Each structure stands twice: as structure tokens, then as C-alpha cells.
Amino acid sequence: MQTILDTIGDTPLLPLRHLGRGLPRPILVKCEHLNPGGSIKDRLAKAIVDDAEARGVLRPGMTLIEATAGNTGVGLALVAATRGYQLVCVMPEKMSVDKRRVLSSLGATVIIAANAPPTSPDNFQNVAKALAAEHGWFSTDQFQNPVNVQVHARTTGAEILRQVGGPIGAFVAGAGTGGTISGVGRALAQAWPAVRVVLADPIGSGLASWVETGEVGPDGSYAVEGIGSSQPPANLHREVIHAAERISDEDSFETARRLVAEEGLLVGGSAGTNVAAALRVAARDDIDGPVVTVLPDSWDRYFSTAWMQAWGRRLHE
Ligand code: PMP
């Protein structure tokens, strides 16, 4: 090993021994929170930079810019620190203070954008695009860059196939950029055509309706970070996905709490969303094989959030 980037990926795949008890088939969780930057996004951060360097569009000393809920920013910050780039992250206002602090500590410049819809010029993705054009910075563009989907097929998906070593009943994941579900879903379906690929979507996101009907559902608010949208991103490939499960904030955060307390898995809110959906899928009759999902990030990103602060209050009641 040469740098910390060499420890990205090859994460454990573990059965849920307590939450999955009594189900007709196991739920296997891929521990992406154990990546060096604490999330699944380390994979694409490194892959996008590797690709841009190989194409000659990125040279040492240049500035990277990304619109990020935080995790891709942390991944990119690790890459930037080890390879000598500057990094600018544009984050939506709703993201936790913990994520802002982490990014600043890692030397990134953080710009906070208003919580505006994708059609607004104030939306975090549009702000990042405008800044990239204005300054000639390299836009890593996780929402559109095809390397995001490719790296999940080539690494996350291939690792799951190897780790399971047999048929897979279903793959369940939320979608932020769509990279995980599109890339892993495609790789698993190529090996096991009967696999069901299920989107775990927060109630308030419009993506579940889009998967089911092709029409985006109404835009609502929800507190889970990193997943769901009112507009399907380019990297979310609808043809790979068979069904959707709608999960409330309450269910996501309670399931995350149980993953911590009962399984020792120190994960964030979207892991709760994924596992809450996986529990429903695993209870169905038409699934043949284990249900696999991902634990996208670590709990340390959320210590200041209202939902995690409430865990502390429960302990004192
Ligand atoms: N969970 C969290 C906490 C995330 O930050 C992200 C990425 N935005 C996801 C899940 C979804 O991953 P993807 O972008 O691959 O759809």
C-alpha cells in the first residue's frame, strides 16, 4: 500500500443477525461506512479523479469542484490531499454541520447554497456548474459523470458477487446520484437475471413514483440526507430498477438506531432507509436468495442532528 486511497473498497458483507431474525432469507449489508473517508463515496471520488488524470484533463495543482451532500466531498478531499489538488464543495443548506466541519478540516473550501429546487439558479448543483465555468475548475460532476456508475459495477457490484458466491434475491439501495443502484444493480443482474433491484426512497422524494410510473411524484420535505430527489439524476438508470419502497424519516432513523444498538454497525440515516426497505423485501414470497443492501456512511456525520440527539434523550428517560 502506498497511500490511504489504497484502502478504499473491499468492504465486509455481513448478515444482520438481530434485525433479520425470523425472516425467510438473510439480509446482507455491505459496510461502506468502513471506507477511509467513512462512506461509499470514496470509491467514485478516487475513480473520477483517476479517469480525469488518465484522460489528461486534470493536472496537479488544479482545483476540483463538486456539488455534494458531504460524503463525496470527504472522498474528494482525501484524494485532493494525497494528490495535490485544491477542492471546493458546494453543499445544500440542509446538510449537517458535522459534514461542513469535516470538509473544512480536510482543507476544502465549503460554499453553502440555499435549499432550492433543481430548476433554480441557487440550487447547489447549478451554483457548482456556474463556478466551474467561471473559474475553469474541474467539475467532478457525480450526478452526470458515467464513471460514478461504472465504478460501482466494477468494484461494489463485483465484490458483492464474489462475497455472496451464489444467486442473489434482491438488491436494495437509495438513490442520491443513482450511481450505487444503477452500477451495482446492473452488475448483479448480469450475473443473476432474476435479481430484483429495489429503490429505497424517503417519503417526500419523487423518485419512487418515477420508478413505478415514469412520472416524478410530488416534492415533499424529509430529513434523511444524501438520497431522494424531485428530479431523477442522469446517473439513475430507471431500466435497472424493478420496484420502490417508500420509507418515512421515523422508520429510517429508528432502523439506523437499531443497527447501531443491536448490530454494532455505526451508520448514518440512509443506512436505516436501506435496511428498513430490505426488511420489507426480505419478507416477500417472490424473492429467491439473500437480500443485499449497502450501509452508505458513518454515524459520525450526524452527531449534531436532531434525530441522533434524540437517541441521547431516550437513554436518560
Ligand atoms: N446515502 C448517503 C448518506 C449519501 O451521501 C449518498 C450519496 N449522495 C447515498 C446514500 C446515495 O448514493 P448514490 O449517490 O450512489 O445514489
Side-chain angles (χ1 to χ4, degrees):
M1 294 229 178
Q2 296 293 314
T3 72
I4 193 67
L5 305 183
D6 299 326
T7 68
I8 294 171
D10 279 324
T11 51
L13 183 74
L14 303 174
L16 290 182
R17 299 209 173 276
H18 299 281
L19 272 74
R21 198 179 284 147
L23 287 168
R25 52 195 62 81
I27 295 177
L28 307 176
V29 295
K30 185 107 172 111
C31 297
E32 293 299 304
H33 64 298
L34 299 180
N35 277 300
S39 93
I40 194 164
K41 296 299 197 162
D42 291 356
R43 294 178 187 266
L44 65 124
K46 177 171 178 291
I48 284 174
V49 171
D50 283 346
D51 170 72
E53 286 175 347
R55 288 189 290 119
V57 293
L58 188 59
R59 290 169 300 282
M62 277 176 72
T63 297
L64 313 174
I65 182 161
E66 179 59 88
T68 170
N71 286 325
T72 301
V74 174
L76 285 169
L78 292 186
V79 180
T82 50
R83 298 208 183 153
Y85 299 109
Q86 308 297 312
L87 173 65
V88 177
C89 293
V90 186
M91 276 173 89
E93 209 174 3
K94 90 169 209 187
M95 301 308 162
S96 72
V97 169
D98 312 73
K99 286 180 181 166
R100 292 185 207 178
R101 286 205 190 114
V102 168
L103 287 173
S104 302
S105 309
L106 282 162
T109 302
V110 179
I111 296 172
I112 305 298
N115 289 331
T119 47
S120 161
D122 297 332
N123 174 273
F124 74 122
Q125 291 183 49
N126 297 332
V127 170
K129 247 180 241 157
L131 285 169
E134 189 183 328
H135 298 283
W137 293 338
F138 177 73
S139 177
T140 43
D141 203 0
Q142 59 172 335
F143 290 91
Q144 301 214 38
N145 193 325
V147 172
N148 180 358
V149 177
Q150 288 158 14
V151 72
H152 283 299
R154 181 166 50 80
T155 71
T156 326
E159 289 167 27
I160 290 170
L161 287 170
R162 202 169 56 236
Q163 287 168 313
V164 176
I168 296 170
F171 178 69
V172 179
T177 63
T180 307
I181 194 164
S182 304
V184 175
R186 177 167 311 148
L188 301 193
Q190 260 164 18
W192 303 106
V195 70
R196 279 184 73 81
V197 179
V198 181
L199 178 77
D201 207 34
I203 292 177
S205 161
L207 297 179
S209 297
W210 177 73
V211 162
E212 290 163 351
T213 68
E215 299 278 321
V216 179
D219 197 8
S221 72
Y222 54 90
V224 173
E225 296 179 31
I227 54 173
S229 179
S230 56
Q231 187 175 289
N235 276 334
L236 182 57
H237 299 174
R238 185 165 174 258
E239 71 280 6
V240 175
I241 306 168
H242 303 103
E245 292 290 341
R246 294 168 172 78
I247 309 292
S248 67
D249 276 344
E250 205 181 16
D251 200 359
S252 293
F253 298 139
E254 175 57 15
T255 307
R257 191 193 64 77
R258 292 190 61 199
L259 287 166
V260 171
E262 296 176 38
E263 305 277 352
L265 296 164
L266 308 184
V267 296
S270 69
T273 315
N274 285 353
V275 170
L279 285 165
R280 288 190 202 162
V281 173
R284 295 168 56 126
D285 316 319
D286 59 345
I287 301 291
D288 189 17
V291 174
V292 177
T293 190
V294 290
L295 307 177
D297 74 353
S298 162
W299 72 336
D300 61 11
R301 309 277 131 102
Y302 304 98
F303 289 159
S304 69
T305 59
W307 57 270
M308 207 180 274
Q309 299 269 323
W311 297 359
R313 283 197 293 280
R314 262 168 86 129
L315 291 175
H316 298 295
E317 273 163 12

